[in-house]
Amino acid sequence: MSELDVQIPSAFDPFAEANAEDSGAGSTKEYVHVRIQQRNGRKSLTTVQGLKKEFSYNKILKDLKREFCCNGTVVQDPELGQVIQLQGDQRKNVSNFLIQAGIVKKEHIKIHGF
């Protein structure tokens, strides 16, 4: 009884997978993350981060807004850099748009949420 080989279950971390992938210093793939954030009630917000810096975020935003008939903005975040925010759940629409426009390849897009 002096030596207990009992493992105490730790709390489930829903972001452990994303943190493990981000911590890989040798990874050559740069992912574009498309996420959804719940606001209040049925309202939601779609965020796009990880686009290459040579792209004009404002031009991409303008085309996204025109294509999906929604409002949006580009937010400067100190950790994440520039992030595109769109109103509503536009995850599938945004990923299809980025692939068809040739901005990102399909294997470099990660869709998060629900």
Side-chain angles (χ1 to χ4, degrees):
M1 219 41 177
S2 63
E3 292 183 29
L4 295 176
D5 293 333
V6 178
Q7 292 182 346
I8 299 173
S10 60
F12 175 71
D13 185 11
F15 301 108
E17 179 184 314
N19 291 338
E21 292 172 356
D22 292 342
S23 64
S27 66
T28 58
K29 289 188 178 180
E30 295 282 330
Y31 287 110
V32 174
H33 298 276
V34 181
R35 293 187 171 92
I36 188 168
Q37 295 177 351
Q38 194 67 34
R39 284 182 42 215
N40 48 358
R42 293 176 49 191
K43 308 292 183 185
S44 60
L45 192 69
T46 303
T47 60
V48 181
Q49 73 180 53
L51 291 173
K52 294 183 181 176
K53 295 188 192 311
E54 61 255 16
F55 292 122
S56 173
Y57 282 75
N58 289 324
K59 287 184 180 180
I60 293 173
L61 176 65
K62 185 176 179 181
D63 290 338
L64 288 170
K65 286 167 54 174
R66 185 178 295 135
E67 183 77 21
F68 308 135
C69 300
C70 65
N71 201 2
T73 186
V74 177
V75 177
Q76 182 65 35
D77 189 82
E79 288 182 13
L80 305 173
Q82 289 186 325
V83 178
I84 296 176
Q85 291 183 341
L86 296 169
Q87 287 182 349
D89 185 3
Q90 308 289 344
R91 290 174 293 173
K92 291 182 182 176
N93 295 337
V94 168
S95 64
N96 290 336
F97 176 85
L98 293 175
I99 293 167
Q100 289 177 354
I103 296 172
V104 181
K105 294 181 182 175
K106 186 174 183 176
E107 55 268 9
H108 294 294
I109 293 180
K110 289 216 173 201
I111 299 177
H112 304 279
F114 303 141

